[in-house]
Each structure stands twice: as structure tokens, then as C-alpha cells.
Amino acid sequence: MEIERRDTLSANDFVREFLEPNVPVLLGPSFTQSWPARADWVVDGGPNFARLQQLYGEEQVQVAECDKVYFSDQKRTDMRFGDFIDQWHRHPERKLYCKDWHFTRSSTEYTAYTPLPQLSDDWINIYYDSGIPEQHDDYRFCYLGGHGTWTPFHEDVYRSYSWSANICGKKRWILVPPGQNHLFTDSVGNWVYNLNQYDKAQFPQLHKLRRIEFIQREGETVFVPSGWWHQVENIGNTISINHNWANEFNLRFLYERLASDMEAVQYALRDVCDMDGFEEHAQLVLRADSGIDYRGFFSFVNYMAQLYLTQVAGECQELGRLDGYFRTQSSVYRALQMVDHVLELLAHDKVASMIKDRVDQLRRRISHAVTRHKQL
């Protein structure tokens, strides 16, 4: 299997050829050519450490030690960005990797990049920017690490999409299409940590795994679809900018992941299922384990649906960051219909009984808007 590479791609073609069929693509360096980060953060083909220190030296970052396993991840610690850069230079053998750094919060006056138009249909970050969620968060990240730093085999949070743009350096990717979990999961439910080094007795079927392997070069952007597990290794000193994101095209995948996680919670708590308040307790455990519960998921869906209903009536300011293609009349109604499909699943989900009235109310509003559109 090979990843498709594109040097030109419209938003419409991206949706039709990659988002809807949920398959990856590698976008050429011309897409990110105008990003300030590609000039400011790079010197002689590698990281411009002096400029990065100037911009972010006092910021706190999370750093992984790539040679130390911590459950299904790597041991992490917090440190000053400046100290991380110093350790990177002094002790390259430690394989320190700055991960999941919310760098856009660090310098509101400096804009390092602008998401590509094709990737602008980003509901997760629109929602978190609204201030509605209880936790102040976003899913915009920077990753910085030397040669051999890496990220273990994993699926992205919430079963979201992700994109990763290399500012400098190279990455070696392994992408695994969905539907193969049984090949990389052992008899007690643990998934393989490292596809390149594993116990064959523990994972006897792993050699059958279908995968896509490729090298991502400087300036290139990888689109990782929902449910595609992956493992990534840096080649040389590497910096990337990454987003996790979701929209109408993978909203169903997010719901299915949530429902699957709830099934696991209910099974784990099966011995106390008759206790008073069991449903609320299960939601609490779900939120602790998965980062979101059913109310949180509905809050996200409801917020985005309201934005699209506003767009139907006029111009929604919050959707202004989306490429024009995603704000056309046909795209707006398509999004509402896809939202309604997920709401229908929620309406028939017994676990969602506490929000059923709100789900039904939102479905009626969407139905009214879509019906009016069809009559015009």
C-alpha cells in the first residue's frame, strides 16, 4: 500500500477523495510555503534554536523520554522550553521529545501558521475556542525532537482526524487502516507498543497487518483519517505543527468511539450495576477514562449545529474561519443532515436518556431547516 501525494488539491476534491472515503493523503510543501514558521523557525535546514528561544524560552512544555515506557506511552515531565533545548543539545542520547505543546497559547502576538483551507473544517478547535467547555483546552500542538525520537503506536484522541505539517526534518510514518485491531491486540486487550520491536508470542498475528509506510519531508503535511492507528519516528532534528480535529464527516466515528468506551465502562462496573445512581457514576468514569461523557459530546454537537443553523439564517461569524467551500449552502445543509444522523443514533441510545429531550428538540430544529431548504 502507498499513500497518495498531491501538490494541488481543492477543498471540494479533498472532501470527495479523502474525507468522505476516510483515507490518508500527503500534501506537498507548496501548501505551507507561506507559513512564517517555515522561515522563522528554520536555519540551514534545521531548527533555529535562537529564534525559538526568543519566542518561547520561558514557556512550560511537556517532554517525553522516548526510551522510557510508561504504560502505553512514554514517561513525561514538565520543564521550561529553554531547558528542553539545552538538554536536547547536551544529552541527545536521552531522546527527549517535546510533545503536545499548546504553543499557540504562548504567543498571541505571533502567528506561526494558518491552517490549510482544505483542513479548516475544524469543529473541535472552534468548540474549545468558544469557552463553553469547562476545561480551557485546544487541540493545536507543536512537536520538537532530535533524530530517533518517536511516538508509539496509537489511535488519535476521540477517534478524531489529525494533520501533521513538518516545519523541518523528516518523519517515518506507519499508518494502519481500520478494522485490524484483532491483529495488534493481545489476549488481555493490550495493543502493541512498537511495531518495529515486539513479542511475537504475544502478538502472533501482527505480521499480517496491512500498513502504509512512507517518509514525510520538510514542508509536507500528512492527513491522518479517523481510526487509522499510526506510529511515527523523527529522522534528524524535526519540528512539526499538528492538529486533532473533527467535523461532520467523522462525527459518527466519534460517537461510535464514545459508545464503545461506555460499553467497556459498563462491563468493568457490571458487579455494581444495581447501585443507586449507577448511570451517573458510569458517565463520571467514562469522562475520566475518555476525556468526555455523553453530555459533553452532546454539548459539542449542539454548539456546532447551532452555528450551522445560524449560517442558514445569515452569516455565522464563528464559521468564518472555514474555507468558503464549507460555507456554501449545499455544504451547510449537508453538515446539518450528517449531524442529524448522529443525533438519531443518540436518540436510540439508552445510555443517552438523560439528554434525550434536548436531542429531540435539536432534531426538530434541524428537520425544520432542512425541510424549508428542500421546498425552496
Side-chain angles (χ1 to χ4, degrees):
M1 300 177 67
E2 294 186 0
I3 192 167
E4 189 162 350
R5 297 174 181 264
R6 291 294 184 88
D7 291 316
T8 60
L9 185 66
S10 68
N12 181 28
D13 288 341
F14 175 65
V15 167
R16 181 172 51 84
E17 297 180 42
F18 302 103
L19 269 189
E20 289 185 328
N22 199 50
V23 294
V25 65
L26 182 61
L27 303 176
S30 61
F31 287 92
T32 60
Q33 190 63 48
S34 63
W35 285 7
R38 288 200 55 197
D40 294 350
W41 294 7
V42 181
V43 61
D44 297 329
N48 186 340
F49 293 110
R51 178 58 171 154
L52 291 166
Q53 284 267 28
Q54 180 186 39
L55 286 169
Y56 306 112
E58 297 303 317
E59 297 299 323
Q60 289 291 311
V61 297
Q62 192 173 88
V63 177
E65 297 184 53
C66 292
D67 59 351
K68 294 186 178 180
V69 178
Y70 184 76
F71 295 98
S72 62
D73 198 5
Q74 298 157 332
K75 182 181 178 182
R76 300 195 186 200
T77 187
D78 293 331
M79 64 176 69
R80 286 177 59 254
F81 180 77
D83 293 336
F84 161 68
I85 296 298
D86 181 64
Q87 291 293 313
W88 183 350
H89 285 122
R90 289 176 179 267
H91 301 287
E93 75 281 357
R94 292 184 64 192
K95 304 296 183 186
L96 298 181
Y97 194 8
C98 176
K99 289 185 172 184
D100 300 327
W101 172 29
H102 299 264
F103 75 107
T104 59
R105 301 180 193 168
S106 303
S107 180
T108 56
E109 297 179 358
Y110 175 80
T111 301
Y113 72 106
T114 301
L116 306 184
Q118 299 85 348
L119 310 175
S120 62
D121 190 16
D122 179 351
W123 290 12
I124 287 180
N125 286 300
I126 289 176
Y127 176 62
Y128 278 96
D129 289 347
S130 72
I132 290 177
E134 294 179 5
Q135 68 271 37
H136 176 63
D137 209 350
D138 68 82
Y139 286 84
R140 309 175 182 94
F141 307 108
C142 186
Y143 286 61
L144 306 93
H147 180 75
T149 53
W150 68 293
T151 297
F153 190 56
H154 69 286
E155 180 187 32
D156 283 324
V157 61
Y158 306 141
R159 199 164 286 163
S160 62
Y161 298 136
S162 65
W163 60 258
S164 177
N166 267 8
I167 303 304
C168 66
K170 299 178 181 179
K171 291 182 185 291
R172 178 179 291 109
W173 286 78
I174 303 175
L175 287 177
V176 173
Q180 304 184 85
N181 295 47
H182 62 290
L183 298 178
F184 58 75
T185 305
D186 68 13
S187 59
V188 294
N190 299 310
W191 62 82
V192 68
Y193 181 80
N194 184 348
L195 289 173
N196 297 319
Q197 185 177 355
Y198 63 92
D199 185 341
K200 293 182 179 180
Q202 184 181 6
F203 301 100
Q205 302 298 313
L206 195 61
H207 66 281
K208 300 178 182 178
L209 198 67
R210 291 181 296 111
R211 63 182 75 186
I212 299 175
E213 299 189 35
F214 63 94
I215 302 297
Q216 175 193 15
R217 298 181 293 267
E218 178 177 328
E220 295 181 332
T221 303
V222 178
F223 164 62
V224 181
S226 283
W228 284 64
W229 288 64
H230 47 285
Q231 180 172 310
V232 191
E233 179 184 1
N234 291 325
I235 303 172
N237 291 339
T238 304
I239 303 175
S240 66
I241 293 175
N242 300 32
H243 276 210
N244 288 106
W245 56 300
N247 53 41
E248 63 269 36
F249 296 101
N250 68 340
L251 189 62
R252 176 174 58 86
F253 298 134
L254 271 65
Y255 166 73
E256 290 173 351
R257 172 62 183 270
L258 185 69
S260 175
D261 288 352
M262 175 54 89
E263 287 182 7
V265 167
Q266 291 176 324
Y267 181 78
L269 300 177
R270 62 192 181 281
D271 292 338
V272 294
C273 63
D274 294 329
M275 67 179 278
D276 291 340
F278 173 77
E279 291 79 8
E280 286 300 323
H281 184 68
Q283 292 287 339
L284 184 66
V285 174
L286 176 66
R287 184 173 182 179
D289 287 351
S290 304
I292 194 170
D293 58 15
Y294 271 66
R295 286 189 181 90
F297 180 72
F298 177 74
S299 175
F300 165 61
V301 174
N302 180 61
Y303 179 75
M304 293 308 305
Q306 299 298 342
L307 295 187
Y308 279 85
L309 289 168
T310 301
Q311 184 74 16
V312 168
E315 190 71 23
C316 177
Q317 181 178 354
E318 289 83 352
L319 296 181
R321 68 174 74 174
L322 274 60
D323 181 70
Y325 165 77
F326 297 107
R327 291 181 282 116
T328 62
Q329 189 178 71
S330 60
S331 294
V332 168
Y333 284 104
R334 177 182 61 194
L336 286 171
Q337 288 176 309
M338 296 178 86
V339 166
D340 185 62
H341 174 68
V342 172
L343 291 173
E344 183 180 10
L345 297 175
L346 267 178
H348 291 90
D349 188 337
K350 294 180 180 179
V351 178
S353 59
M354 84 293 288
I355 55 173
K356 188 177 188 308
D357 289 345
R358 298 181 64 196
V359 169
D360 291 342
Q361 183 182 25
L362 180 56
R363 291 197 69 199
R364 287 192 293 270
R365 287 200 62 196
I366 292 174
S367 177
H368 178 70
V370 171
T371 299
R372 286 191 61 190
H373 169 65
K374 290 179 178 179
Q375 291 174 346
L376 294 178

